[in-house]
Amino acid sequence: MAADKKRFFILFTAILIFAFTTRVIPTLGNNFYFTMDQGNAALHGRDIISRHQLLLPGPETGIRGIFHGVLWYYFIAPGFFLFNNHPFGSVFMLIVLSVTTTAFLMLVLKKHVSEKAALIVGAFLQIYWWYFDASRYGFNPFPLVFLSIILITFMALFKKGKEKYYLLSTIPLGFTFNSEMAGGVAFLLLFIFFSIREFFKKQLNIKTILIAILLFSTFFIPRFISEVKTGFSQQKTIIREIKEPSGTFSSTNFKEMTGAFERILARRIVPQSEAIGLIFFTLTLLIYIKNPTKNFFTRRFIYYSVALIVISYLWFASNIGWRSWHTVYIRPLFFISFVLIAL
């Protein structure tokens, strides 16, 4: 038994070392993306580290005058401190987040599924492009990949008497609004659906839900202060955008989103053929529905991953604001679910 435990942690450590080195080595010689967004983040990181400024708004969204939460800047600030304000600092922090998320997921799978599943999922994630790509440059939407895995893991771990996992899930949920707000809305809708479902199943009580709301609200304190100081400028901008005849919320976009989601899902299985990939995806899903796994964690992880994909489709199809980076979390979640089904 001790030998099995030792073997697992040797392989576990090897996967994490491989994950870290394969992300760091390609960046040597400043070989990483540096665009206007990364330049803006570097300037704000310098303001926090060198000028000791207290920032309130984060990066600007696709809607002019609306800003993401500021915690993105504070998240990458330690990287700028370690590398003397070098732009690699933000990339380094995403690499750390990627490797840490891998370790977290593997340890959960080891405990609640099996050591085999933990090692296979952890290893396969490191050679899965869409997971690897999320840590190649410091772009604020990319943490959604890792936050989605952490959020759904906490949700999958929740069951009656384990309120701590429900409350812990508000942490990655809150951070999504400091990463990419459009994607964060989809996460919030999933969490609301999850809360209602568990409440009516008598797994949750009102007190726990109210505590979760309070915890989630703390992530909006900098935004609230900023709004007070600017006369609630973002609130006014949102109201104006909703009323705008050609604004983000002026019409629906179901046709384009249907095609986009077909490509996102189908080409992750068979990249060369969308049609074959879609058929394979449908057959896999039908087989799983007919013969679902008996493992509690795996069943819930897949269930909430699919729920987030469906909710994301409905949310982004309800407006015309979708951009490809808004849904960067879908491919890795689908990939993990597919590997768990295959196991």
Side-chain angles (χ1 to χ4, degrees):
M1 199 69 177
D4 290 341
K5 185 176 181 180
K6 183 178 180 180
R7 183 170 60 249
F8 171 81
F9 280 102
I10 290 173
L11 293 173
F12 170 82
T13 304
I15 290 171
L16 297 184
I17 293 173
F18 176 79
F20 184 79
T21 54
T22 54
R23 284 160 173 76
V24 170
I25 290 175
T27 66
L28 298 178
N30 297 324
N31 184 28
F32 55 87
Y33 291 106
F34 187 75
T35 67
M36 180 177 66
D37 293 309
Q38 287 72 58
N40 179 63
L43 290 175
H44 285 88
R46 180 197 61 187
D47 290 338
I48 294 172
I49 297 300
S50 301
R51 298 179 178 177
H52 311 294
Q53 293 184 359
L54 184 63
L55 305 182
L56 292 174
E60 192 170 32
T61 68
I63 301 176
R64 189 171 182 82
I66 303 297
F67 299 87
H68 303 295
V70 72
L71 293 184
W72 161 250
Y73 292 144
Y74 288 96
F75 168 71
I76 60 178
F80 289 116
F81 174 77
L82 288 172
F83 294 94
N84 195 27
N85 291 322
H86 192 282
F88 174 70
S90 59
V91 180
F92 177 77
M93 292 307 295
L94 278 178
I95 291 173
V96 170
L97 181 59
S98 174
V99 175
T100 303
T101 302
T102 299
F104 167 74
L105 180 61
M106 290 173 68
L107 290 175
V108 171
L109 289 174
K110 173 183 179 292
K111 182 177 181 180
H112 296 278
V113 183
S114 69
E115 292 185 358
K116 174 185 174 183
L119 294 172
I120 290 176
V121 170
F124 278 21
L125 271 179
Q126 308 321 310
I127 58 174
Y128 182 60
W129 175 254
W130 298 103
Y131 188 79
F132 172 84
D133 195 41
S135 57
R136 290 207 304 155
Y137 63 100
F139 190 29
N140 59 281
F142 287 167
L144 287 182
V145 171
F146 314 110
L147 292 171
S148 67
I149 294 171
I150 298 169
L151 173 64
I152 289 180
T153 297
F154 281 143
M155 290 170 59
L157 288 173
F158 171 78
K159 57 183 176 180
K160 190 172 183 179
K162 297 290 184 179
E163 286 87 356
K164 66 177 181 180
Y165 292 115
Y166 176 75
L167 297 176
L168 283 171
S169 64
T170 62
I171 297 174
L173 178 64
F175 273 114
T176 62
F177 284 85
N178 290 269
S179 173
E180 170 55 61
M181 285 183 61
V185 172
F187 284 59
L188 178 58
L189 292 173
L190 172 69
F191 187 74
I192 292 172
F193 160 75
F194 169 70
S195 301
I196 293 173
R197 179 180 184 271
E198 299 302 323
F199 174 75
F200 281 104
K201 290 179 64 179
K202 301 188 184 303
Q203 302 288 312
L204 271 176
N205 55 54
I206 289 294
K207 179 183 177 181
T208 304
I209 293 175
L210 290 176
I211 294 174
I213 293 172
L214 180 62
L215 290 172
F216 176 64
S217 300
T218 61
F219 286 89
F220 293 86
I221 292 175
R223 182 183 298 275
F224 178 75
I225 296 173
S226 176
E227 282 289 83
V228 171
K229 293 180 67 174
T230 59
F232 294 92
S233 60
Q234 292 190 63
Q235 178 182 320
K236 294 174 182 176
T237 301
I238 292 175
I239 294 173
R240 185 169 62 249
E241 184 71 17
I242 292 173
K243 295 179 179 179
E244 176 64 40
S246 59
T248 301
F249 306 99
S250 60
S251 63
T252 59
N253 198 22
F254 283 92
K255 184 177 180 180
E256 180 182 342
M257 291 311 303
T258 299
F261 271 64
E262 283 181 359
R263 291 189 295 274
I264 288 172
L265 296 176
R267 290 183 180 175
R268 299 295 66 79
I269 301 175
V270 185
Q272 296 80 5
S273 174
E274 182 179 328
I276 295 175
L278 195 59
I279 292 171
F280 193 73
F281 165 73
T282 304
L283 289 174
T284 303
L285 191 60
L286 290 174
I287 291 171
Y288 176 75
I289 291 173
K290 186 175 180 180
N291 300 290
T293 177
K294 293 181 180 179
N295 182 271
F296 178 84
F297 176 85
T298 299
R299 189 168 64 250
R300 282 209 157 193
F301 189 95
I302 295 170
Y303 176 78
Y304 289 124
S305 295
V306 172
L308 180 57
I309 293 172
V310 172
I311 289 171
S312 298
Y313 166 75
L314 294 174
W315 158 238
F316 287 109
S318 71
N319 58 75
I320 56 174
W322 179 76
R323 298 294 182 270
S324 59
W325 54 82
H326 291 162
T327 50
V328 291
Y329 52 88
I330 289 180
R331 294 180 177 94
L333 279 180
F334 174 70
F335 178 78
I336 295 171
S337 298
F338 185 78
V339 173
L340 288 174
I341 289 174
L343 291 174

